[in-house]
Amino acid sequence: MLAFCNRSRPTCLACQIFPRRQYYFTANGFRPRKGLSQRRNGVRQRNTEAGEDKSGHINAGQNEGIFFLDNVFPLRLRWILRLPLSHADRSIPELMKRLNNPRVGPADPVSIIQRAIPESLPIKVTEILPRLKEGGAFVKFSHEPQIQATEIERTLKNHLKENPIKPWFNPFKRVKTFLVHGRPWVEDLYRYPSSRLKVEFLPTAPGGQAAELSQETLYSLFRRYGKLADIVPQPADSKILPKFAYLNFVKTRQAIMAKNCMHGFTLPEAEGGGKLGTVLKLVYEQKIKAHWIRDWLVNHPRLVIPAVAALVATVTVAVFDPIRTFFIKAHVTHSFHIDDYTAYKWLKSQVTRANDILSFGRRRRTEDGGLNAIWDDRKDDIEQIKTWLMETADTFIVVQGPRGSGKRELVIDQALKGRKHKLIIDCKPIQDGRGDSATIRKAAEQVGYRPIFSWMNSISSLVDLAAQGTIGTKTGFSETLDTQLAKIWQNTAIALKQIALDGRKQDDKDAELGEDEYLEAHPELRPVVVIDHFLYKSQDSSLVYDKISEWAASLTTANIAHVIFLTNDVSFSKSLSKALPDRVFRQILLGDCSPDVAKRFVVNHLDAEAADNDVGDNKLTASQIRQDLVELDECIETLGGRLTDLEFLARRIKTGETPIKAVRQIIEQSASEILKMYILDIDRTSRNWTPQQAWLLIKSLAATEHLRYNEILLSDTFKTGGEKTLQALEQAELITINSSNGRPHSIKPGKPVYQAAFRLLTEDHVLKARLDLAILGELTKIETQSIDKYEAELNLLANLPKQPGELAPRVKWLLGKLSDCQAKVEKYEQESGDLKKVLQVEY
């Protein structure tokens, strides 16, 4: 018998397998002496976790046995085996000695094994195989033939129970041991212990048949190793071979003990192992699958997809919103605009001076010189806007006027000239955007909102649609156009507020005021937001304008910025009142220029552009040189005071045309536009009027400058939906509706030049006959429907069983109406015949 001994005894097998190094003292501490760790001859020099000769098994011959000692190593150190340069089979003993307190000799694994197996035990230890990842060790021993291994196991268990060994890393659990009954598989694979074991039932020989053990049999075999939480047999309908069952132990170390002691055990027929016996193969079964996170995410889309959407939104707000706010501020303050750099300004001034010397500066003077007459006439409006911007009033400034009246130039170039912080938002490209992505992109471009992932809106919508088809409900991953626009305007409001507060200093006299009070006290520091083309194509969709007006209302009420609306729509108050229902708007209504101002505009335009002409010692202007400008008064009276038409006239005159010819060309072009836009190319799905209704107004306005609003509504052509039709034609700028005391009272052409264009159209006899014929056809249809209605009622009264006298007035009234309608039909048919003759004769 060879038992453990003290470390001083050189023949101790444990000392040969796990030798204690001898140390000598140096200046750097204790270091091991070299050459003292050599094994003695005749003893196994190395033990690995791969079994004997790395075969993966430990073979026990006759009169030999194997114990498995638990709680020798801490289970938490199994991660060492994952390291790429780890050599657990070589460094385990030395590693444990370094991890343990060197002053506590019984704490290292060798001492634990030495104390666990007493000297009085009649065995000879021949091999020790450590199992780091399982926290124990196999101890192979030999014994006398007359002694049974079970008796030795019983003696050893009693010894450990009477003399418990509790290592430092697990002070509440003692070392336990069991006799190995099977043939343990001591692999060094990356398979780590679990409290769940999978027991496979294999035949003892290839081609044989194994018995599927019952739960009772499994319980009797494995209960000795620890508390079993559950035994899960293989489902009855499962066709997986070999047959198996799951053993769930309460603790992992209990499962380790059962696996190492019972793996490879052959259950005989007497104990329920079948005719030829059944071999038990045990492997660890991880309770948590390798891809449990992925599987959980895939199997719970109702929770995962909204959570992902919330995470994306959070990341977007936390990461991208500050970046977007920065770019909006840079867009408003022109931080990255080269025009504001001093070097560029100096270089531009030098180039401008050189161009002036070389007489290339006339174009710049043309742009200013032609408009000076307009600005002189509208000086009061400009000063009024500047005054409003210096006041604290939580309301809008609205500049309304027809298209081409110079609203944008008046506000941006004159009223806001020299103002540093201004944001101009043009609603036209936003409203013209095709699809939500284009609308979002255009809105972001107007305020400098970047980065913008407009394409993600379409992708997220598809993902949301797919998720809805999968889980049955919307996930909220995609965002609507309303939400996206709200984000853009919200970030813009944050940037504008920061800009307004940038000039605030700590040593200001009102530094103690809060941000809102400070902005209210200093209206001159607020940036100005100009919203151009407001209500452009509002009949198509009002979502964009609703969001803009709500956002503008929040800016004004919070004293963040002044807001100026530029619009052609006379009904702007309906839209803006939704955002500010209890406010009175500050309005400036721009109309056409007076004849004197219009003439000065054209003359100044010509004089600024024309080259100097020397006549003797005098330099004459273009207006003095040209003799045909005497026609200008008559032409302006026909053309009107619309700014765009006057500029068009000046450009034509500069090309050499006479004023009368230029005006004639403008009138003809306007007539062609009217035909195309309002009469010929009419799509009833997108237009709210008929060609007959538009022609009736054209024909009536050609004869007189103003029409009575209610008179038009009483006509048969506008009998159905007349007011809606007139509003649509006003939106399309064919007509202008004048109001008095808040009610519409008259109708005039949408542009002054349209008066002459209407006359030109009515002078075309073929066109007039064709359109009048269409009107007569429409009127005939209306009267025919009335006749059918009257006849039906008369027929109903005639079929009554009795004819009371009280029906006589009603019958008389119906007959009178029937007679009047018939007379109108005959009149319309006669007029239609005359018009058809015109169409048959003239081209």
Side-chain angles (χ1 to χ4, degrees), residues 125-146:
V125 177
T126 60
E127 185 177 357
I128 298 177
L129 182 65
R131 297 291 294 168
L132 176 62
K133 67 180 181 181
E134 294 178 319
F138 287 102
V139 178
K140 184 177 179 181
F141 64 91
S142 60
H143 58 86
E144 298 295 332
Q146 65 273 15

Side-chain angles (χ1 to χ4, degrees), residues 457-507:
N457 192 51
S458 300
I459 296 178
S460 59
S461 298
L462 294 176
V463 173
D464 200 6
L465 183 62
Q468 184 179 3
T470 303
I471 65 179
T473 59
K474 287 189 176 182
T475 61
F477 187 77
S478 63
E479 294 182 336
T480 61
L481 175 62
D482 188 353
T483 307
Q484 293 277 13
L485 291 176
K487 283 186 176 181
I488 295 175
W489 304 137
Q490 181 181 3
N491 278 37
T492 306
I494 295 173
L496 291 174
K497 186 172 184 179
Q498 294 177 2
I499 292 172
L501 295 172
D502 281 345
R504 189 179 186 185
K505 299 180 181 178
Q506 295 182 352
D507 55 352

Side-chain angles (χ1 to χ4, degrees), residues 331-334 411-413 416-424 496 527-530:
H331 177 79
V332 177
T333 59
H334 304 281
V411 174
I412 298 175
D413 297 339
L416 300 181
K417 186 177 182 180
R419 198 171 186 105
K420 186 177 180 181
H421 299 151
K422 53 181 179 285
L423 175 62
I424 302 171
L496 291 174
V528 180
V529 179
V530 180

Side-chain angles (χ1 to χ4, degrees), residues 144 181 204 242 414 467 490 536 598 633 679:
E144 298 295 332
H181 296 282
T204 55
Q414 298 300 315
Q490 181 181 3
Y536 168 79
D633 293 335
I679 296 178

Side-chain angles (χ1 to χ4, degrees), residues 437-449:
S437 298
T439 302
I440 295 168
R441 184 174 65 255
K442 293 297 183 181
E445 290 175 357
Q446 294 298 317
V447 298
Y449 180 92

Side-chain angles (χ1 to χ4, degrees), residues 56 125 133 176 189 212 225 258 308 327 335 370 389 535 565 588 638 650-651 678 709 742 763 771:
V125 177
K133 67 180 181 181
K176 294 183 180 180
L189 303 174
E212 184 175 0
Y225 301 107
V308 170
F327 278 111
S335 300
L389 294 178
L535 297 180
F565 286 93
I588 290 181
T638 303
R651 289 178 180 176
Y678 306 104
Y709 182 83
E763 291 172 359
L771 296 175

